[in-house]
Amino acid sequence: MDLPVHGRVSDLQSFTDPARALDRITEIYEASVAKICGALDDFVRNGRKPDLRGAGYPYVGITVDAEAFDAPISRAYGTLPASGTFGTTLTRPDLFASYYLDQLALIMNSHAQPVVVGVADGPIPLPFVVEAAEMGLDAALSDELRRHFPVPNIACIDDSIANGTYVEDAGAGRPRPLALFEAERADYSLVRLTHYTGTSPDFFQRFVLFTNYQRY
């Protein structure tokens, strides 16, 4: 499968077994986190500027030709809405492993097609990898940290896919959305949970009830 179809993604591998696809997703995520953490430690200790190439989110994609497209009509999830190429980035397989496995199995069984897994372009933002990354650092070093390590791009962290306002750009070589939220948006939500509750997402159960702020 050609790389341009899936945007700027490297090291694409094809999988027909959802469990093996999940293993590769986990491997990519853990390797990216380890690389970023190692670079941060080296930067703080030795002042060495980081090389974060290949430290991106895991990417998963699938392509279904129009001739082979046959969407199950009895299910509203785990299936594609149309033929074409779809993809998304993923985060925290340690938290979402069972969900990812279920969804991969459903979509692969629905369309009898393999998924591809690779490394998305651009490193994972530092605050989504290391909690309180700047704690204990003086102001000058904190500024240097922000210069050399990626930070969340708030302008791109939105709900356009979930809200139905996402505009596809066929000429950009990007796949259509495979999920309502990409990895950076999911990580942002996890960070907000910690911010508002003082509790790591690791300790939450499966469901979170949000209340209206004005009536809380």
Side-chain angles (χ1 to χ4, degrees), residues 84-102:
T85 294
F86 294 76
T88 192
T89 50
L90 302 177
T91 190
R92 297 299 302 270
D94 56 316
L95 293 181
F96 301 124
S98 61
Y99 173 76
Y100 289 158
L101 186 60
D102 287 345

Side-chain angles (χ1 to χ4, degrees), residues 21-174:
L22 178 59
D23 287 343
R24 179 59 180 151
I25 289 166
T26 302
E27 179 183 305
I28 291 171
Y29 181 80
E30 291 179 350
S32 293
V33 167
K35 187 168 188 176
I36 294 169
C37 289
L40 175 62
D41 183 68
D42 196 22
F43 178 80
V44 172
R45 292 175 182 272
N46 306 312
R48 187 174 291 114
K49 295 180 180 179
D51 178 4
L52 299 177
R53 287 174 293 184
Y57 284 112
Y59 167 90
V60 62
I62 185 171
T63 297
V64 178
D65 295 332
E67 295 78 10
F69 181 74
D70 183 19
I73 61 175
S74 60
R75 192 172 65 242
Y77 60 93
T79 180
L80 300 179
S83 61
T85 294
F86 294 76
T88 192
T89 50
L90 302 177
T91 190
R92 297 299 302 270
D94 56 316
L95 293 181
F96 301 124
S98 61
Y99 173 76
Y100 289 158
L101 186 60
D102 287 345
Q103 295 300 311
L104 288 169
L106 284 170
I107 201 166
M108 293 167 76
N109 289 336
S110 294
H111 302 287
Q113 295 294 323
V115 297
V116 292
V117 176
V119 184
D121 181 61
I124 302 172
L126 182 63
F128 296 157
V129 173
V130 181
E131 279 190 61
E134 298 184 35
M135 285 185 65
L137 305 181
D138 60 39
L141 189 53
S142 293
D143 288 341
E144 284 293 301
L145 202 66
R146 287 189 288 269
R147 284 180 55 199
H148 297 293
F149 286 83
V151 295
N153 185 354
I154 302 301
C156 297
I157 301 177
D158 58 35
D159 297 337
S160 61
I161 301 173
N163 290 341
T165 59
Y166 176 80
V167 179
E168 297 179 13
D169 185 355
R174 288 176 54 85

